[in-house]
mmCIF file of all heavy atoms in Angstrom:
data_model
loop_
_atom_site.group_PDB
_atom_site.id
_atom_site.type_symbol
_atom_site.label_atom_id
_atom_site.label_comp_id
_atom_site.label_asym_id
_atom_site.label_seq_id
_atom_site.Cartn_x
_atom_site.Cartn_y
_atom_site.Cartn_z
ATOM 1 N N ALA Y 269 -43.128 -55.239 -46.652
ATOM 2 C CA ALA Y 269 -42.492 -54.007 -46.189
ATOM 3 C C ALA Y 269 -42.017 -53.152 -47.362
ATOM 4 O O ALA Y 269 -42.158 -51.925 -47.345
ATOM 5 C CB ALA Y 269 -41.323 -54.331 -45.262
ATOM 6 N N GLU Y 270 -41.474 -53.793 -48.391
ATOM 7 C CA GLU Y 270 -41.009 -53.050 -49.561
ATOM 8 C C GLU Y 270 -42.177 -52.323 -50.233
ATOM 9 O O GLU Y 270 -42.049 -51.187 -50.673
ATOM 10 C CB GLU Y 270 -40.334 -54.001 -50.555
ATOM 11 C CG GLU Y 270 -38.942 -54.438 -50.143
ATOM 12 C CD GLU Y 270 -38.003 -53.269 -49.910
ATOM 13 O OE1 GLU Y 270 -37.964 -52.343 -50.746
ATOM 14 O OE2 GLU Y 270 -37.308 -53.269 -48.872
ATOM 15 N N ASN Y 271 -43.313 -53.001 -50.316
ATOM 16 C CA ASN Y 271 -44.512 -52.385 -50.892
ATOM 17 C C ASN Y 271 -44.921 -51.144 -50.100
ATOM 18 O O ASN Y 271 -45.225 -50.093 -50.668
ATOM 19 C CB ASN Y 271 -45.658 -53.410 -50.873
ATOM 20 C CG ASN Y 271 -46.154 -53.742 -52.263
ATOM 21 O OD1 ASN Y 271 -45.415 -53.659 -53.222
ATOM 22 N ND2 ASN Y 271 -47.404 -54.123 -52.366
ATOM 23 N N LEU Y 272 -44.946 -51.289 -48.779
ATOM 24 C CA LEU Y 272 -45.354 -50.183 -47.923
ATOM 25 C C LEU Y 272 -44.320 -49.059 -47.927
ATOM 26 O O LEU Y 272 -44.677 -47.885 -47.853
ATOM 27 C CB LEU Y 272 -45.599 -50.685 -46.496
ATOM 28 C CG LEU Y 272 -46.902 -51.478 -46.324
ATOM 29 C CD1 LEU Y 272 -46.916 -52.201 -44.985
ATOM 30 C CD2 LEU Y 272 -48.120 -50.568 -46.444
ATOM 31 N N LYS Y 273 -43.052 -49.413 -48.025
ATOM 32 C CA LYS Y 273 -42.005 -48.382 -48.094
ATOM 33 C C LYS Y 273 -42.194 -47.519 -49.345
ATOM 34 O O LYS Y 273 -41.998 -46.303 -49.307
ATOM 35 C CB LYS Y 273 -40.624 -49.039 -48.104
ATOM 36 C CG LYS Y 273 -40.172 -49.496 -46.723
ATOM 37 C CD LYS Y 273 -38.997 -50.442 -46.785
ATOM 38 C CE LYS Y 273 -37.737 -49.787 -47.231
ATOM 39 N NZ LYS Y 273 -36.572 -50.735 -47.197
ATOM 40 N N GLU Y 274 -42.594 -48.147 -50.444
ATOM 41 C CA GLU Y 274 -42.861 -47.392 -51.672
ATOM 42 C C GLU Y 274 -44.035 -46.445 -51.470
ATOM 43 O O GLU Y 274 -44.005 -45.287 -51.914
ATOM 44 C CB GLU Y 274 -43.143 -48.355 -52.827
ATOM 45 C CG GLU Y 274 -41.930 -49.135 -53.305
ATOM 46 C CD GLU Y 274 -42.287 -50.131 -54.401
ATOM 47 O OE1 GLU Y 274 -43.420 -50.060 -54.930
ATOM 48 O OE2 GLU Y 274 -41.441 -50.982 -54.737
ATOM 49 N N LEU Y 275 -45.079 -46.929 -50.805
ATOM 50 C CA LEU Y 275 -46.252 -46.095 -50.553
ATOM 51 C C LEU Y 275 -45.915 -44.938 -49.613
ATOM 52 O O LEU Y 275 -46.393 -43.817 -49.799
ATOM 53 C CB LEU Y 275 -47.383 -46.949 -49.968
ATOM 54 C CG LEU Y 275 -48.050 -47.921 -50.948
ATOM 55 C CD1 LEU Y 275 -48.941 -48.919 -50.204
ATOM 56 C CD2 LEU Y 275 -48.868 -47.164 -51.991
ATOM 57 N N VAL Y 276 -45.090 -45.200 -48.596
ATOM 58 C CA VAL Y 276 -44.661 -44.137 -47.683
ATOM 59 C C VAL Y 276 -43.862 -43.083 -48.442
ATOM 60 O O VAL Y 276 -44.044 -41.875 -48.235
ATOM 61 C CB VAL Y 276 -43.816 -44.722 -46.526
ATOM 62 C CG1 VAL Y 276 -43.134 -43.607 -45.736
ATOM 63 C CG2 VAL Y 276 -44.689 -45.552 -45.587
ATOM 64 N N LYS Y 277 -42.992 -43.543 -49.319
ATOM 65 C CA LYS Y 277 -42.173 -42.616 -50.110
ATOM 66 C C LYS Y 277 -43.037 -41.750 -51.020
ATOM 67 O O LYS Y 277 -42.815 -40.540 -51.154
ATOM 68 C CB LYS Y 277 -41.162 -43.396 -50.948
ATOM 69 C CG LYS Y 277 -40.227 -42.522 -51.764
ATOM 70 C CD LYS Y 277 -39.251 -43.363 -52.571
ATOM 71 C CE LYS Y 277 -38.349 -42.474 -53.430
ATOM 72 N NZ LYS Y 277 -37.399 -43.280 -54.250
ATOM 73 N N ASP Y 278 -44.043 -42.378 -51.651
ATOM 74 C CA ASP Y 278 -44.918 -41.644 -52.568
ATOM 75 C C ASP Y 278 -45.909 -40.746 -51.844
ATOM 76 O O ASP Y 278 -46.374 -39.748 -52.409
ATOM 77 C CB ASP Y 278 -45.681 -42.635 -53.462
ATOM 78 C CG ASP Y 278 -44.768 -43.377 -54.435
ATOM 79 O OD1 ASP Y 278 -43.649 -42.880 -54.686
ATOM 80 O OD2 ASP Y 278 -45.164 -44.449 -54.929
ATOM 81 N N HIS Y 279 -46.255 -41.127 -50.600
ATOM 82 C CA HIS Y 279 -47.269 -40.375 -49.843
ATOM 83 C C HIS Y 279 -46.783 -40.148 -48.411
ATOM 84 O O HIS Y 279 -47.323 -40.728 -47.460
ATOM 85 C CB HIS Y 279 -48.601 -41.136 -49.842
ATOM 86 C CG HIS Y 279 -49.103 -41.468 -51.205
ATOM 87 N ND1 HIS Y 279 -49.758 -40.555 -52.004
ATOM 88 C CD2 HIS Y 279 -49.029 -42.625 -51.922
ATOM 89 C CE1 HIS Y 279 -50.081 -41.127 -53.150
ATOM 90 N NE2 HIS Y 279 -49.644 -42.373 -53.135
ATOM 91 N N PRO Y 280 -45.768 -39.305 -48.239
ATOM 92 C CA PRO Y 280 -45.177 -39.105 -46.906
ATOM 93 C C PRO Y 280 -46.134 -38.508 -45.881
ATOM 94 O O PRO Y 280 -45.871 -38.593 -44.677
ATOM 95 C CB PRO Y 280 -44.007 -38.152 -47.189
ATOM 96 C CG PRO Y 280 -44.370 -37.469 -48.474
ATOM 97 C CD PRO Y 280 -45.115 -38.494 -49.266
ATOM 98 N N ASP Y 281 -47.241 -37.915 -46.339
ATOM 99 C CA ASP Y 281 -48.198 -37.314 -45.411
ATOM 100 C C ASP Y 281 -49.367 -38.245 -45.074
ATOM 101 O O ASP Y 281 -50.308 -37.836 -44.390
ATOM 102 C CB ASP Y 281 -48.750 -36.003 -45.991
ATOM 103 C CG ASP Y 281 -47.666 -34.946 -46.128
ATOM 104 O OD1 ASP Y 281 -46.737 -34.953 -45.297
ATOM 105 O OD2 ASP Y 281 -47.743 -34.127 -47.060
ATOM 106 N N ASN Y 282 -49.307 -39.483 -45.555
ATOM 107 C CA ASN Y 282 -50.374 -40.446 -45.277
ATOM 108 C C ASN Y 282 -49.997 -41.281 -44.062
ATOM 109 O O ASN Y 282 -49.076 -42.096 -44.129
ATOM 110 C CB ASN Y 282 -50.595 -41.350 -46.495
ATOM 111 C CG ASN Y 282 -51.794 -42.271 -46.323
ATOM 112 O OD1 ASN Y 282 -51.971 -42.888 -45.282
ATOM 113 N ND2 ASN Y 282 -52.611 -42.377 -47.351
ATOM 114 N N PRO Y 283 -50.671 -41.099 -42.927
ATOM 115 C CA PRO Y 283 -50.288 -41.814 -41.707
ATOM 116 C C PRO Y 283 -50.540 -43.317 -41.752
ATOM 117 O O PRO Y 283 -49.847 -44.082 -41.081
ATOM 118 C CB PRO Y 283 -51.141 -41.149 -40.624
ATOM 119 C CG PRO Y 283 -52.319 -40.582 -41.336
ATOM 120 C CD PRO Y 283 -51.807 -40.172 -42.688
ATOM 121 N N THR Y 284 -51.501 -43.755 -42.559
ATOM 122 C CA THR Y 284 -51.842 -45.183 -42.602
ATOM 123 C C THR Y 284 -50.662 -46.033 -43.049
ATOM 124 O O THR Y 284 -50.372 -47.080 -42.462
ATOM 125 C CB THR Y 284 -53.038 -45.420 -43.540
ATOM 126 O OG1 THR Y 284 -54.177 -44.742 -43.026
ATOM 127 C CG2 THR Y 284 -53.353 -46.905 -43.651
ATOM 128 N N TYR Y 285 -49.989 -45.593 -44.098
ATOM 129 C CA TYR Y 285 -48.871 -46.371 -44.622
ATOM 130 C C TYR Y 285 -47.736 -46.454 -43.613
ATOM 131 O O TYR Y 285 -47.111 -47.504 -43.436
ATOM 132 C CB TYR Y 285 -48.379 -45.771 -45.939
ATOM 133 C CG TYR Y 285 -49.425 -45.704 -47.029
ATOM 134 C CD1 TYR Y 285 -49.483 -44.617 -47.899
ATOM 135 C CD2 TYR Y 285 -50.358 -46.722 -47.193
ATOM 136 C CE1 TYR Y 285 -50.439 -44.547 -48.894
ATOM 137 C CE2 TYR Y 285 -51.326 -46.662 -48.185
ATOM 138 C CZ TYR Y 285 -51.362 -45.573 -49.036
ATOM 139 O OH TYR Y 285 -52.315 -45.501 -50.030
ATOM 140 N N LYS Y 286 -47.458 -45.352 -42.925
ATOM 141 C CA LYS Y 286 -46.389 -45.355 -41.921
ATOM 142 C C LYS Y 286 -46.749 -46.269 -40.747
ATOM 143 O O LYS Y 286 -45.913 -47.033 -40.264
ATOM 144 C CB LYS Y 286 -46.138 -43.932 -41.414
ATOM 145 C CG LYS Y 286 -45.440 -43.042 -42.423
ATOM 146 C CD LYS Y 286 -45.138 -41.666 -41.849
ATOM 147 C CE LYS Y 286 -44.385 -40.812 -42.867
ATOM 148 N NZ LYS Y 286 -44.069 -39.467 -42.356
ATOM 149 N N ASN Y 287 -47.993 -46.180 -40.298
ATOM 150 C CA ASN Y 287 -48.418 -47.031 -39.191
ATOM 151 C C ASN Y 287 -48.309 -48.499 -39.562
ATOM 152 O O ASN Y 287 -47.786 -49.317 -38.788
ATOM 153 C CB ASN Y 287 -49.861 -46.713 -38.800
ATOM 154 C CG ASN Y 287 -50.399 -47.707 -37.786
ATOM 155 O OD1 ASN Y 287 -50.038 -47.677 -36.625
ATOM 156 N ND2 ASN Y 287 -51.250 -48.626 -38.235
ATOM 157 N N ASP Y 288 -48.799 -48.855 -40.738
ATOM 158 C CA ASP Y 288 -48.797 -50.267 -41.133
ATOM 159 C C ASP Y 288 -47.388 -50.811 -41.293
ATOM 160 O O ASP Y 288 -47.104 -51.950 -40.884
ATOM 161 C CB ASP Y 288 -49.584 -50.445 -42.432
ATOM 162 C CG ASP Y 288 -51.088 -50.326 -42.213
ATOM 163 O OD1 ASP Y 288 -51.489 -49.790 -41.161
ATOM 164 O OD2 ASP Y 288 -51.857 -50.764 -43.077
ATOM 165 N N LEU Y 289 -46.506 -50.014 -41.887
ATOM 166 C CA LEU Y 289 -45.123 -50.461 -42.042
ATOM 167 C C LEU Y 289 -44.473 -50.649 -40.669
ATOM 168 O O LEU Y 289 -43.816 -51.667 -40.416
ATOM 169 C CB LEU Y 289 -44.332 -49.446 -42.874
ATOM 170 C CG LEU Y 289 -42.837 -49.727 -43.060
ATOM 171 C CD1 LEU Y 289 -42.606 -51.104 -43.669
ATOM 172 C CD2 LEU Y 289 -42.199 -48.640 -43.923
ATOM 173 N N GLY Y 290 -44.687 -49.683 -39.785
ATOM 174 C CA GLY Y 290 -44.129 -49.798 -38.447
ATOM 175 C C GLY Y 290 -44.664 -51.002 -37.698
ATOM 176 O O GLY Y 290 -43.918 -51.739 -37.038
ATOM 177 N N PHE Y 291 -45.967 -51.243 -37.827
ATOM 178 C CA PHE Y 291 -46.569 -52.374 -37.111
ATOM 179 C C PHE Y 291 -46.060 -53.701 -37.652
ATOM 180 O O PHE Y 291 -45.751 -54.620 -36.871
ATOM 181 C CB PHE Y 291 -48.094 -52.332 -37.219
ATOM 182 C CG PHE Y 291 -48.741 -53.504 -36.525
ATOM 183 C CD1 PHE Y 291 -48.922 -53.492 -35.152
ATOM 184 C CD2 PHE Y 291 -49.126 -54.638 -37.239
ATOM 185 C CE1 PHE Y 291 -49.493 -54.584 -34.502
ATOM 186 C CE2 PHE Y 291 -49.679 -55.725 -36.601
ATOM 187 C CZ PHE Y 291 -49.867 -55.698 -35.221
ATOM 188 N N ILE Y 292 -45.981 -53.825 -38.966
ATOM 189 C CA ILE Y 292 -45.520 -55.085 -39.563
ATOM 190 C C ILE Y 292 -44.103 -55.410 -39.103
ATOM 191 O O ILE Y 292 -43.806 -56.550 -38.731
ATOM 192 C CB ILE Y 292 -45.585 -55.003 -41.113
ATOM 193 C CG1 ILE Y 292 -47.038 -55.078 -41.578
ATOM 194 C CG2 ILE Y 292 -44.772 -56.136 -41.748
ATOM 195 C CD1 ILE Y 292 -47.206 -54.784 -43.052
#
């Protein structure tokens, strides 16, 4: 989750990272 949170922060317009973090 920490890894994905970093990716979401760096790429707030990328839906894949948000979906994966939410699903996990």
Side-chain angles (χ1 to χ4, degrees):
E270 284 303 314
N271 242 28
L272 286 167
K273 282 165 69 176
E274 290 177 11
L275 288 168
V276 169
K277 182 180 178 181
D278 292 340
H279 305 280
D281 295 328
N282 186 314
T284 297
Y285 301 142
K286 288 183 178 180
N287 172 74
D288 286 17
L289 177 56
F291 178 81
I292 287 171

